Amino acid sequence: MTGVETRSVVRDSLFLLADIRIEQGHEAHRVRVRNLSDGGMMAEGNLRVQRGHRVDVELRNIGTVGGSVAWVQDNRIGIAFDQEVDSQLARRPSQDSNLPPAAMLKPSWAHRAPSPPEPGKLRKI
């Protein structure tokens, strides 16, 4: 990585916990959220995922957010959310009531990871 900032979305560093379910799995994996923006997050934990995997992330005060794995490096993963969220809600004290639908703002197409290639269409060298 270079020292040049190329991101178009502001993100904040923080430390909070989240639960991630991989594709249609039933088991939730607890991860540490290292930074969070309205369009995605970086998490740290022991997950076996690959770029393009679909995930559901349970974030405090926001609820369940769908997304896809954008990158994997060691025990850290980047997740691009399907829809933008109000990331500032996660910093507030936990709410006891059900989450309002206003937590979701609008679709975020700028942060979606491309689908993995189909094995039958790969060219062998």
Side-chain angles (χ1 to χ4, degrees):
M1 297 193 135
T2 67
V4 177
E5 183 60 47
T6 60
R7 299 184 195 284
S8 60
V9 177
V10 175
R11 69 192 190 289
D12 293 322
S13 294
L14 72 154
F15 180 79
L16 65 94
L17 297 175
D19 290 320
I20 295 180
R21 283 189 171 72
I22 303 166
E23 299 196 72
Q24 287 129 7
H26 299 288
E27 184 180 351
H29 303 274
R30 180 65 47 108
V31 296
R32 289 181 290 280
V33 178
R34 291 301 187 185
N35 62 50
L36 177 67
S37 72
D38 292 352
M41 64 182 257
M42 179 178 73
E44 184 178 69
N46 294 321
L47 292 172
R48 290 182 172 247
V49 294
Q50 294 179 351
R51 183 172 181 242
H53 276 172
R54 300 288 306 153
V55 295
D56 287 322
V57 182
E58 183 71 31
L59 291 167
R60 178 179 71 192
N61 293 338
I62 293 175
T64 302
V65 182
S68 59
V69 176
W71 56 266
V72 179
Q73 185 177 17
D74 300 323
N75 67 338
R76 293 184 178 198
I77 62 172
I79 296 173
F81 297 148
D82 292 339
Q83 297 184 354
E84 288 189 359
V85 300
D86 183 353
S87 58
Q88 295 302 313
L89 289 175
R91 291 168 174 28
R92 297 182 184 153
S94 294
Q95 300 172 346
D96 294 332
S97 63
N98 288 337
L99 296 170
M104 303 301 261
L105 300 177
K106 60 183 178 178
S108 175
W109 303 109
H111 303 293
R112 290 198 71 159
S115 301
E118 294 179 30
K121 293 185 177 180
L122 292 176
R123 191 170 51 127
K124 295 184 181 181
I125 312 177

